Amino acid sequence: MTADTGRPEAATPDTPAYEDNRSFLVGLARAFAGALIFSLPMLMTMEMWWIGFTMTPWRLVLLLVLLIPLLIGLSVVSGFKINASLHDDIADAFVAIAVAVVMSAVILGIFKVLSFDMPAREVIGKIALQSFPAAIGAMLARDQLGEKSADSMQRQDSMTYGQELFLMAVGALFLGLNVAPTEEMVLLSYMMDPWREIALLLLSLMLMHAFVYAVELPGGSKPPRGVGFWSLFLRFTVVGYVIVLAICLYLLWTFGRTDGTGPAEIISATVVLGFPCAIGAAAARLIL
């Protein structure tokens, strides 16, 4: 406060309040940038426009409900900042959702995918579906678009086994969202015979393990000392690939690709979608 008036001192470049406000605005701008970068391929994909309108409402609601714990987990592992409590992580999750909704509405409006004469259900569905990948991008913007702090690097180096698997799931989900809505996933599954599908499955496992532990890409994980190949392969690569296939099956079901389809076709489509999702899971420490 000032000595003469007793009023709070105005925020200037030298005051903590100014720095706090500046940090918040910079973080918010990064969140918008991250939301746009992560969701741009889907914002410009026609299948996503149609699915947002034709998707069964309760499947869309389930997808959005799952987004909240996903964002909270991302806030803990790699969010806007290192928070002191779970309440702050929850708040950051809803900030990411708000940023994603605004960004999606603006971009879809500019592309004329949205217009004022559309039914409310169509507008809400299209924005809600696009907000899912955009919110992930907004949450990850701090580490991706900002300078990594020592605390952030330490947090990544000290991840638990569960957090590693969670990050792999996010990587799989991110790349899977780019291709799961497209017709090509179903078309490829019909074109491939069982032997090619088995070869693709084995290739997915091999690339997952190589990306994380063998080729020493920047940001990748280093094998713990004293841990053998098979232990590492089974605990991380195989378990991670099972998680990848579960995510693929959920995405195909969410986008209606399993409706009226037999078990063999569903398994085939899951293996095909599992290839890009496995790459996303393996590269999660690099891109997320």
Side-chain angles (χ1 to χ4, degrees), residues 157-258:
D157 292 337
S158 61
M159 282 186 185
T160 64
Y161 176 66
Q163 288 175 334
E164 290 269 8
L165 294 179
F166 172 75
L167 202 59
M168 291 173 71
V170 175
L173 187 62
F174 168 64
L175 279 190
L177 282 168
N178 282 270
V179 293
T182 64
E183 295 289 344
E184 285 77 7
M185 290 299 101
V186 177
L187 178 61
L188 285 171
S189 66
Y190 278 109
M191 291 170 57
M192 295 175 64
D193 55 60
W195 292 110
R196 284 184 170 83
E197 293 170 7
I198 293 173
L200 185 63
L201 187 152
L202 295 176
L203 179 62
S204 300
L205 282 169
M206 182 183 71
L207 291 177
M208 278 187 72
H209 193 81
F211 273 35
V212 179
Y213 296 109
V215 297
E216 298 182 358
L217 293 172
S221 299
K222 294 182 179 179
R225 292 183 179 180
V227 178
F229 168 83
W230 286 111
S231 175
L232 208 60
F233 182 76
L234 293 173
R235 291 179 64 243
F236 286 93
T237 306
V238 173
V239 172
Y241 188 64
V242 171
I243 294 173
V244 164
L245 292 180
I247 290 172
C248 293
L249 182 60
Y250 171 70
L251 288 176
L252 291 170
W253 173 80
T254 297
F255 295 134
R257 300 303 183 191
T258 61

Side-chain angles (χ1 to χ4, degrees), residues 8-228:
E9 186 178 359
T12 66
D14 297 327
T15 62
Y18 176 86
E19 287 299 324
D20 290 343
N21 292 337
R22 180 181 179 279
S23 297
F24 175 77
L25 292 176
V26 169
L28 199 60
R30 286 176 179 167
F32 272 98
L36 180 60
I37 292 170
F38 271 66
S39 65
L40 192 57
M42 286 151 279
L43 285 166
M44 303 183 74
T45 300
M46 184 176 63
E47 286 91 345
M48 288 289 283
W49 308 339
W50 286 106
I51 290 174
F53 175 53
T54 60
M55 188 175 181
T56 305
W58 66 271
R59 292 187 185 183
L60 180 58
V61 170
L62 177 60
L63 186 69
L64 297 177
V65 168
L66 293 175
L67 176 63
I68 296 174
L70 175 69
L71 292 177
I72 294 172
L74 278 176
S75 180
V76 173
V77 176
S78 181
F80 292 134
K81 58 186 180 298
I82 299 176
N83 291 321
S85 68
L86 181 62
H87 293 88
D88 293 333
D89 291 314
I90 295 173
D92 280 353
F94 281 98
V95 169
I97 293 173
V99 167
V101 168
V102 172
M103 188 282 302
S104 299
V106 170
I107 299 300
L108 291 176
I110 291 174
F111 288 160
K112 206 178 179 182
V113 177
L114 298 179
S115 61
F116 290 107
D117 59 348
M118 286 182 177
R121 179 184 177 278
E122 182 175 356
V123 173
I124 293 172
K126 289 180 177 179
I127 293 176
L129 185 58
Q130 296 287 355
S131 296
F132 190 95
I136 295 176
M139 180 59 71
L140 293 169
R142 175 187 177 272
D143 273 354
Q144 292 305 299
L145 303 181
E147 182 179 356
K148 288 180 180 282
S149 65
D151 290 338
S152 177
M153 296 295 291
Q154 182 181 4
R155 178 171 59 175
Q156 288 194 356
D157 292 337
S158 61
M159 282 186 185
T160 64
Y161 176 66
Q163 288 175 334
E164 290 269 8
L165 294 179
F166 172 75
L167 202 59
M168 291 173 71
V170 175
L173 187 62
F174 168 64
L175 279 190
L177 282 168
N178 282 270
V179 293
T182 64
E183 295 289 344
E184 285 77 7
M185 290 299 101
V186 177
L187 178 61
L188 285 171
S189 66
Y190 278 109
M191 291 170 57
M192 295 175 64
D193 55 60
W195 292 110
R196 284 184 170 83
E197 293 170 7
I198 293 173
L200 185 63
L201 187 152
L202 295 176
L203 179 62
S204 300
L205 282 169
M206 182 183 71
L207 291 177
M208 278 187 72
H209 193 81
F211 273 35
V212 179
Y213 296 109
V215 297
E216 298 182 358
L217 293 172
S221 299
K222 294 182 179 179
R225 292 183 179 180
V227 178

